[in-house]
Amino acid sequence: MLKITQLAHLLVRTCFAEPSSDSPLFAIDATVGNGYDTLFLAECVGENGMVFGFDIQDMTAVRSQLAKRGLAKRVTLFQTGHETMLSHIADSADAGASAIIFNLGYLPNGDKSLVTTRQTTLAALSQSLMLLKRGGILSVACYSGHPGGEEETNAVLAWAKALPHEEYSVLHHHLLNRQRTSPELVVVQKI
Ligand SMILES: C[S@@+](CC[C@H](N)C(=O)[O-])C[C@H]1O[C@@H](n2cnc3c(N)ncnc32)[C@H](O)[C@@H]1O
């Protein structure tokens, strides 16, 4: 079975399958961390595209990885909370984001105090919907096993469930024969 992060990439990739229109593509990595999703999105948007990345922690290592792979020009990183994304991107966001990826919680083997929270995540998700283009995909990997994680996951699920079905398709992936706290994936597509 695919990990939820792999499943997210599989689904997000479908947004980039069609040949792009005239305007350059853009995407958002709302939780850059080690940059795996940033690198993936930088490949997806192509050489004229742009990825905006957010994290509250230092991203020097991610910048080096991007430079090594010749992808630095396609990525703009903001060391700030994703709950401020709208104010940072609004000006360049006319075309709408093809994809927005959230990977919640804390960085494995990192500082566990640098963790996403229910309140800021919900604020960022609302802003993401304003930035997402039609046909675009928002994916949210949720983890319940750490303090605050279950509360955050439940809030994301409630938020996603309440989205109007005329405007959004919403998918929830959770392995049924695992611990209740196993990772969950929420995927929202703007119709
Ligand atoms: C599970 S990790 C992300 C993993 C990452 N996608 C990767 O590929 O390595 C969660 C990240 O969210 C970050 N984070 C916590 N609160 C945040 C916030 N308000 N805005 C943006 N990032 C935040 C943490 O610093 C951490 O790096």
Side-chain angles (χ1 to χ4, degrees), residues 2-3 11-12 27 46 56 65-66 72 79 87 96 102 105 111 113 117 138 148-149 158 168 175 190:
L2 294 176
K3 288 185 191 166
L11 294 169
V12 162
I56 52 175
Q65 277 299 316
L66 289 164
Q79 189 176 353
S87 63
F102 284 75
D111 181 346
S113 71
T117 64
L138 161 65
Y168 301 98
L175 292 180
K190 197 180 249 189

Side-chain angles (χ1 to χ4, degrees), residues 49-179:
M50 179 55 69
V51 178
F52 297 103
F54 294 86
D55 203 306
I56 52 175
Q57 57 182 294
D58 180 74
M59 292 172 279
T60 306
V62 179
R63 287 183 210 281
S64 307
Q65 277 299 316
L66 289 164
K68 241 186 222 168
R69 299 196 192 193
L71 296 170
K73 279 193 183 148
R74 302 184 193 182
V75 178
T76 304
L77 297 175
F78 298 99
Q79 189 176 353
T80 183
H82 43 215
E83 61 278 12
T84 66
M85 67 166 73
L86 200 52
S87 63
H88 289 284
I89 302 179
D91 288 349
S92 29
D94 282 353
S98 298
I100 305 178
I101 295 182
F102 284 75
N103 190 353
L104 301 177
Y106 55 82
L107 207 50
N109 305 320
D111 181 346
K112 293 187 179 168
S113 71
L114 300 175
V115 62
T116 58
T117 64
R118 175 186 169 279
Q119 198 184 2
T120 47
T121 296
L122 288 178
L125 288 175
S126 300
Q127 294 176 31
S128 296
L129 290 186
M130 295 180 214
L131 291 164
L132 200 62
K133 75 175 181 190
R134 285 180 189 278
I137 284 186
L138 161 65
S139 92
V140 191
C142 305
Y143 306 90
S144 316
H146 61 277
E150 186 166 6
E151 185 197 11
E152 182 181 43
T153 299
N154 288 338
V156 172
L157 290 175
W159 170 85
K161 240 181 178 175
L163 293 175
H165 64 86
E166 310 83 10
E167 293 174 52
Y168 301 98
S169 300
V170 182
L171 175 148
H172 174 212
H173 167 88
H174 193 198
L175 292 180
L176 289 174
N177 61 346
R178 300 287 159 87
Q179 283 186 334

